[in-house]
Amino acid sequence: MAGETFPFTSSTLRSLRLQREWLEWEDRRRAAARQSRSQRCPLSARARLTRPRRSCRDPAVHNALFSGDLQQVQALFQDEEAANMIVEMVSNQLAWSPEQGFWVLTPKTKQTVPLTIAAARGYTDCARHLIRQGAELDARVGGRAALHEACAQARPDCVQLLLTFGAKSNVLSDEGMTPLHLCTTPESLQCAKLLLEAGATVNLAASESEVRPLHVVAARGLEQHVALYLEHGADVGLRTSQGETALNAACAGAEDPGRGRQHMAAARLLLEAGADARAAGLKRHTPLHNACANGCGGLAELLLRHGACAGVPNGAGHTPMDCALQSVQDAPNWEPEVLFLALLDYGAQPARPEMLKHCANFPRALEVLLNAYPCVPSCDGWVETVLPELWQEHNAFYSSALRMVNQPRRLQHLARLAVRAQLGSRCRQAAAQLPLPPLLRDYLLLRVEGRIQ
C-alpha cells in the first residue's frame, strides 16, 4: 500500500478527499508537537490527535477478510494504516415502509474493522497478522470490539489471541456490554473462562439495563456458565433496572416445558447459591409466575420447595395459578396437571371457575382442578369449548363432571379437602411422611381417576 494514496477505492474524488484529511491531520500533529516542545510540557500532557481512518468498500478486501485468505490479507494489510481502515459493507434488510404499506428491502451500511471481521470468523492467523501490523485491539468501529465478536461467535482461539496481545477483558460496546455479556451459547464456555482468567469483572452491569453476565446465561439456561460465574463470585441478588434477579431471568427464559429442564438445572444452582425464590421485579412478577406462565411444572415445583409463595398476586392481580391456566393452550404436548398439582399441594387456592375454560381440552388437568372444589362448579363456562372428538374419547370423565355439577360430593372427598386444608402448603411433604397406605396417599394428593365422584 502506498503512503499517500489508497489503492482499494474506485473513486478518485474519495481518494483525494482522504489524502487531504491525512495531510491536514499531519499538519495539526506537527503544530501540536512544536507547541508542546516550546512549552516543555510532559508527554502525558501533550495534545493527542486522533488519526483519521480510511474507508474501504473494495470487494477484493472484503473477500480476503471474510474468506480468511491469509496470503491476500498479508498482501493487502502491510502497515498500521491499512490494518485500522474502516471496512464498509452494504446489505439489504427488510424494513417497513409506511408510505407503501408493506415490507421492502432497504440497503443498510455497516462499518467495522479488519480485526473484528477476522476474530468473529475465527481466522486466528489473519487476526495475528493484523495485530502485528498495528491493528487497534479495542477499536469499536460499528459498536463492538474484536473481543466482543469473538465471544459472540464462540471463537476461543481468537479470544486467547486478543487477550494475549493485551485486549481489555472489560471493554464496553456502544450498548454498554462487556465481552462476558456476549458469551451466550454452550460453545462459548471456554471464551468465558479465558475472560475471567484475564480479569473480567463477573458482576459488571450493562449500561442502562443493568443486566449482569449471570442474568444473560441464566436466561438461556446455560448451567455450566452459571456454575462458572458463581465460582468467580457472581452475586445472585443483583437486579436489573427492571428489578429482575438472575433467578427471574432463568424462569422467564424457560419459554416452553421442553426447554424447562436446562433452565431448571440453572435455577437449582442459583437457589443453592442463595437466590430468593420470592424475589419479584418491578411488576411484582416472581420467578414462580414466570415458570407457571411458561408451563414448566418441574421448575415450578423446584421453586415451591425453596419457599416460593403459590398464592401471591403480581402487579396485574394474577396468581401463579392464573398464569398456569393461561399458558395451557400455548404449550401443546405437555402435562399441565403436573403443574396444577404442584401449585395445589403447596397451598394455591382453586382456580376461579371462569378460568376452567383454558384447560377444558385437557381432561386430566381439568379433573385435578375440579377435585380441588368441595362442589363441582357450573360447567357453562367450559363445556362448549371441548372438542367433539375429545369428548367422545373421554366421555366417562366429561359426563361424570356434568352429572356432579352443584351436587353433594362424597364424604371421602370432603374429608380429603379437610386434611389438605389443614396441611396447607406442607401437603406434599406431609403426605410423604404420614403412615398412609399408597392408595390413600395418592388419593390425598388428588390422584387422577378418569371420572368425578
Side-chain angles (χ1 to χ4, degrees), residues 72-93:
Q72 285 296 315
V73 169
Q74 291 172 337
L76 293 171
F77 301 95
Q78 297 182 5
D79 55 30
E80 181 178 350
E81 179 188 354
N84 288 295
M85 72 166 64
I86 295 176
V87 180
E88 292 187 355
M89 299 168 289
V90 179
S91 61
N92 290 324
Q93 297 184 0

Side-chain angles (χ1 to χ4, degrees), residues 285-300:
H285 216 61
T286 67
L288 185 59
H289 284 96
N290 285 322
C292 292
N294 289 328
C296 299
L299 181 54

Side-chain angles (χ1 to χ4, degrees), residues 360-379:
N361 288 301
F362 294 83
R364 292 175 60 87
L366 183 60
E367 179 182 343
V368 168
L369 294 178
L370 291 179
N371 278 332
Y373 298 96
C375 182
V376 175
S378 172
C379 298

Side-chain angles (χ1 to χ4, degrees), residues 40-60:
R40 296 183 179 179
C41 293
L43 183 62
S44 60
R46 294 177 184 174
R48 294 184 175 87
L49 298 176
T50 302
R51 177 181 298 182
R53 293 176 182 267
R54 297 191 174 188
S55 300
C56 173
R57 293 185 180 179
D58 193 285

Side-chain angles (χ1 to χ4, degrees), residues 147-345:
L147 193 56
H148 287 109
E149 294 295 347
C151 291
Q153 302 302 323
R155 309 291 188 185
D157 290 342
C158 286
V159 171
Q160 179 69 75
L161 176 71
L162 292 165
L163 292 172
T164 300
F165 276 94
K168 296 178 181 177
S169 60
N170 287 321
V171 60
L172 295 179
S173 68
D174 287 355
E175 298 174 342
M177 307 283 277
T178 67
L180 202 59
H181 283 96
L182 299 178
C183 295
T184 59
T185 63
E187 296 77 18
S188 68
L189 180 63
Q190 184 60 31
C191 297
K193 290 180 179 178
L194 292 170
L195 289 169
L196 291 169
E197 291 171 0
T201 304
V202 73
N203 288 318
L204 193 62
S207 303
E208 296 185 6
S209 68
E210 298 183 31
V211 170
R212 271 77 175 181
L214 186 62
H215 290 96
V216 175
V217 295
R220 288 163 175 77
L222 300 178
E223 179 186 2
Q224 291 181 298
H225 286 68
V226 171
L228 175 67
Y229 295 175
L230 291 174
E231 290 174 4
H232 283 79
D235 188 342
V236 296
L238 295 177
R239 296 175 180 260
T240 67
S241 59
Q242 297 300 312
E244 303 289 326
T245 66
L247 184 59
N248 291 88
C251 297
E255 295 180 352
D256 59 73
R259 296 174 56 188
R261 293 181 181 177
Q262 63 189 59
H263 287 78
M264 185 166 67
R268 182 178 291 108
L269 290 175
L270 294 170
L271 289 165
E272 292 173 353
D276 184 1
R278 299 192 178 198
L282 296 182
K283 297 181 180 179
R284 293 165 54 192
H285 216 61
T286 67
L288 185 59
H289 284 96
N290 285 322
C292 292
N294 289 328
C296 299
L299 181 54
E301 185 174 349
L302 174 68
L303 294 167
L304 290 164
R305 289 202 305 267
H306 282 82
C309 182
V312 63
N314 60 14
H318 296 149
T319 66
M321 178 66 80
D322 295 330
C323 294
L325 282 163
Q326 293 168 359
S327 73
V328 169
Q329 298 177 352
D330 296 331
N333 302 321
W334 67 296
E335 299 176 342
E337 65 271 15
V338 174
L339 178 54
F340 296 148
L341 282 170
L343 290 171
L344 292 169
D345 286 348

Side-chain angles (χ1 to χ4, degrees), residues 60-137:
V61 177
H62 291 183
N63 291 338
L65 290 170
F66 283 98
S67 64
D69 189 332
L70 180 59
Q71 290 184 345
Q72 285 296 315
V73 169
Q74 291 172 337
L76 293 171
F77 301 95
Q78 297 182 5
D79 55 30
E80 181 178 350
E81 179 188 354
N84 288 295
M85 72 166 64
I86 295 176
V87 180
E88 292 187 355
M89 299 168 289
V90 179
S91 61
N92 290 324
Q93 297 184 0
L94 282 175
W96 178 256
S97 174
E99 297 81 8
Q100 302 181 54
F102 52 83
W103 293 87
V104 296
L105 284 174
T106 304
K108 184 176 181 180
T109 301
K110 179 182 178 180
Q111 294 184 333
T112 184
V113 290
L115 182 58
T116 298
I117 296 174
R121 282 154 183 78
Y123 301 144
T124 311
D125 292 337
C126 294
R128 183 180 292 106
H129 171 76
L130 291 167
I131 294 172
R132 287 174 175 171
Q133 297 308 310
E136 296 180 20
L137 293 169

Side-chain angles (χ1 to χ4, degrees), residues 427-439:
C427 186
R428 183 166 296 193
Q429 299 95 317
Q433 297 175 5
L434 290 173
L436 299 174
L439 287 177

